[in-house]
């Protein structure tokens, strides 16, 4: 069993009182929480792992031994790996071939595979949902068939345990045809992806993924009778608010209202504001983080453990996933080809595993 620092336990106790669930929920019912954690999705989006491996950099586990990042994550307790798929990326990274190869390795290691279908050649998120170049200007019926055929091919090849139909689809997918303002067409496109999964892999769980919790209930209501299994919510304090109590209430209400299991599909937190390359970081200012959790290794751990207990003690929340723990700086401190996320990775600037890897453990505390 991994030992959790007393300070972390104190903060969990404090948040249990402050955020509306009694301390007895965390401690008197610890056996319930422990049992739930054994079954929870303890995930990490490790889509950058192939690039990290190709770089030749060496990384170390908590004992100071050189170790592949995937091995370290699995030993820490990660049981599910999230991988993004781009249709035709400019290089091989996040291509179907690369993801299929990594998914085979994951399945051989007994790790669940969770696919994120961007339906784009690059990033898709609330601010951009650009169709793949080959799909530009297609009529919606042809576009829906393209979604069906591509999804079917991917699922047949990779056999995922979980699949997202789109990534952070607050404003729809495959703009302009699938924009949120074109609700009928959006549902048609989402349904095409759903049908492809159901036709070839009925056991795969289907997720609809939304960034943040503000507006989430309205969004999921708008999906009507769309057939899916899981609600996925991204949560980053800078973009989605710094009240853990509001997050807890929103996640519980989503489960109650829609009768779906809920997963915190993306989260991350900095362990420093320092840089390790010449690329600016996404998060690097005090106002961007939660005021109670400083940007230190301990602050990162404390934030994640508070979130972990929030998930375990909110009815219907069945897992959580760290986004890009492996996206470290790979090419030197002066490189412009670096990471915008290295200060939110779970390895420090010397390649050493951070204490926050304890977050994945089924045995803490």
């Amino acid at each position: 069993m991994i030992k959790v620092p007393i300070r972390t336990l104190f903060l969990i106790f404090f948040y249990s009182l402050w955020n509306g669930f009694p301390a007895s929920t965390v401690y008197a019912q610890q056996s319930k929480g422990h049992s739930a954690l054994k079954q929870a999705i303890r995930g990490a989006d490790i889509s950058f792992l192939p690039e990290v491996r190709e770089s030749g950099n060496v990384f170390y586990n908590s004992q100071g031994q050189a170790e592949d990042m995937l091995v370290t994550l699995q030993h820490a307790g990660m049981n599910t790996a999230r991988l993004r798929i781009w249709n035709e990326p400019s290089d091989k990274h996040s291509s179907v071939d690369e993801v299929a190869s990594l998914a085979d390795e994951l399945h051989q290691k007994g790790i669940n595979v969770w696919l994120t279908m961007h339906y784009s050649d690059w990033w898709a998120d609330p601010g951009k949902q650009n169709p793949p170049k080959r799909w530009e200007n297609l009529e919606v019926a042809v576009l829906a068939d393209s979604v069906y055929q591509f999804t079917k091919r991917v699922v047949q090849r990779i056999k995922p345990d979980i699949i997202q139909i789109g990534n952070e689809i607050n404003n729809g997918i495959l703009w302009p045809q699938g924009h949120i303002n074109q609700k009928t067409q959006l549902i048609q496109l989402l349904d095409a992806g759903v049908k492809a999964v159901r036709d070839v892999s009925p056991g795969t769980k289907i997720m609809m993924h939304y960034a943040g919790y503000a507006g989430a209930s309205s969004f999921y209501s708008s999906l009507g009778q769309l057939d899916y299994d899981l609600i996925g919510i991204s949560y980053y304090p800078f973009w989605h608010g710094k009240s853990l109590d509001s997050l807890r209430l929103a996640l519980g209400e989503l489960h109650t209202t829609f009768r779906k299991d809920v997963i915190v599909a993306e989260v991350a937190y900095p362990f420093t504001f320092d840089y390790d390359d010449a690329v600016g970081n996404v998060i690097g200012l005090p106002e961007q983080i939660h005021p109670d959790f400083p940007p230190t290794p301990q602050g990162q751990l404390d934030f994640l453990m508070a979130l972990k207990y929030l998930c375990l003690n909110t009815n219907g929340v069945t897992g959580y996933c760290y986004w890009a723990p492996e996206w470290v700086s790979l090419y030197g401190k002066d490189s412009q080809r670096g990471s915008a996320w290295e200060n939110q990775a779970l390895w420090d600037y010397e390649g050493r595993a951070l204490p926050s890897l304890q977050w994945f453990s089924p045995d803490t505390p």
Side-chain angles (χ1 to χ4, degrees):
M1 179 180 293
I2 297 174
K3 301 295 185 182
V4 177
I6 295 297
R7 181 177 182 275
T8 301
L9 296 177
F10 173 79
L11 282 169
I12 292 167
F13 180 83
F14 172 78
Y15 266 87
S16 73
L17 296 176
W18 184 262
N19 289 319
F21 46 90
S24 60
T25 302
V26 178
Y27 295 103
Q29 298 182 15
Q30 184 174 352
S31 61
K32 174 180 179 294
H34 187 79
S35 175
L37 188 55
K38 287 288 189 181
Q39 301 170 30
I41 290 170
R42 303 183 302 277
D45 188 313
I46 56 171
S47 300
F48 288 104
L49 183 62
E51 183 179 357
V52 171
R53 285 172 164 175
E54 287 177 4
S55 75
N57 285 272
V58 178
F59 299 93
Y60 303 90
N61 61 24
S62 59
Q63 286 76 48
Q65 301 164 331
E67 189 171 72
D68 180 75
M69 283 180 163
L70 179 57
V71 175
T72 302
L73 283 163
Q74 187 174 24
H75 286 170
M78 183 199 75
N79 62 10
T80 302
R82 185 174 184 256
L83 306 174
R84 66 175 167 269
I85 285 188
W86 292 335
N87 286 47
E88 293 186 85
S90 59
D91 58 25
K92 63 183 177 180
H93 295 309
S94 294
S95 66
V96 175
D97 286 344
E98 180 181 81
V99 173
S101 177
L102 181 52
D104 285 345
E105 178 185 355
L106 292 165
H107 276 145
Q108 289 169 9
K109 291 179 179 292
I111 298 171
N112 298 321
V113 172
W114 167 357
L115 294 185
T116 303
M117 305 292 288
H118 281 237
Y119 300 116
S120 182
D121 294 332
W122 201 53
W123 301 103
D125 53 47
K128 56 185 176 298
Q129 294 282 340
N130 300 319
K133 187 171 182 58
R134 287 181 183 269
W135 295 3
E136 289 177 351
N137 303 314
L138 295 180
E139 294 182 1
V140 68
V142 179
L143 188 58
D145 183 65
S146 298
V147 170
Y148 177 90
Q149 297 298 339
F150 182 68
T151 306
K152 180 179 178 181
R153 176 165 64 89
V154 168
V155 172
Q156 284 178 320
R157 183 170 180 185
I158 296 177
K159 301 176 179 62
D161 302 280
I162 300 171
I163 189 169
Q164 288 176 215
I165 306 301
N167 184 68
E168 295 189 330
I169 61 173
N170 305 38
N171 295 313
I173 63 172
L174 294 164
W175 293 350
Q177 291 93 329
H179 194 276
I180 193 71
N181 293 332
Q182 302 287 339
K183 190 60 63 64
T184 300
Q185 294 183 171
L186 170 59
I187 297 299
Q188 182 179 355
L189 295 171
L190 293 174
D191 187 60
V194 167
K195 189 174 187 301
V197 179
R198 298 297 193 217
D199 283 351
V200 298
S201 185
T204 296
K205 298 295 185 183
I206 297 173
M207 177 185 289
M208 296 294 152
H209 179 207
Y210 187 89
Y213 56 84
S217 184
S218 176
F219 172 80
Y220 287 104
S221 292
S222 74
L223 298 182
Q225 299 303 307
L226 187 69
D227 177 22
Y228 65 100
D229 307 295
L230 302 170
I231 288 174
I233 297 293
S234 294
Y235 175 64
Y236 300 99
F238 175 54
W239 291 294
H240 306 132
K242 298 171 185 176
S243 170
L244 293 178
D245 189 38
S246 296
L247 174 64
R248 177 182 64 86
L249 291 172
L251 297 179
E253 288 172 2
L254 287 170
H255 171 69
T256 300
T257 302
F258 300 103
R259 299 185 180 182
K260 311 279 188 187
D261 286 342
V262 180
I263 297 172
V264 177
E266 291 186 22
V267 70
Y269 204 79
F271 67 90
T272 182
F273 282 159
D274 292 339
Y275 292 80
D276 198 33
D277 55 34
V279 176
N281 289 332
V282 173
I283 300 296
L285 299 172
E287 58 265 30
Q288 294 178 310
I289 65 173
H290 196 291
D292 294 338
F293 302 99
T296 64
Q298 186 65 50
Q300 183 188 57
L301 172 62
D302 290 341
F303 172 81
L304 291 175
M305 295 301 281
L307 181 69
K308 177 178 186 174
Y309 272 87
L310 181 154
C311 291
L312 290 176
N313 292 283
T314 302
N315 188 38
V317 179
T318 59
Y320 43 82
C321 180
Y322 199 94
W323 196 81
E326 83 291 15
W327 194 14
V328 297
S329 180
L330 297 173
Y331 306 109
K333 293 187 181 297
D334 297 324
S335 176
Q336 293 287 342
R337 181 193 172 197
S339 168
W341 206 259
E342 78 268 21
N343 67 326
Q344 298 188 80
L346 297 185
W347 281 261
D348 69 15
Y349 295 170
E350 302 301 322
R352 299 170 300 199
L354 286 163
S356 292
L357 282 159
Q358 296 176 45
W359 190 58
F360 296 106
S361 175
D363 297 319
T364 53

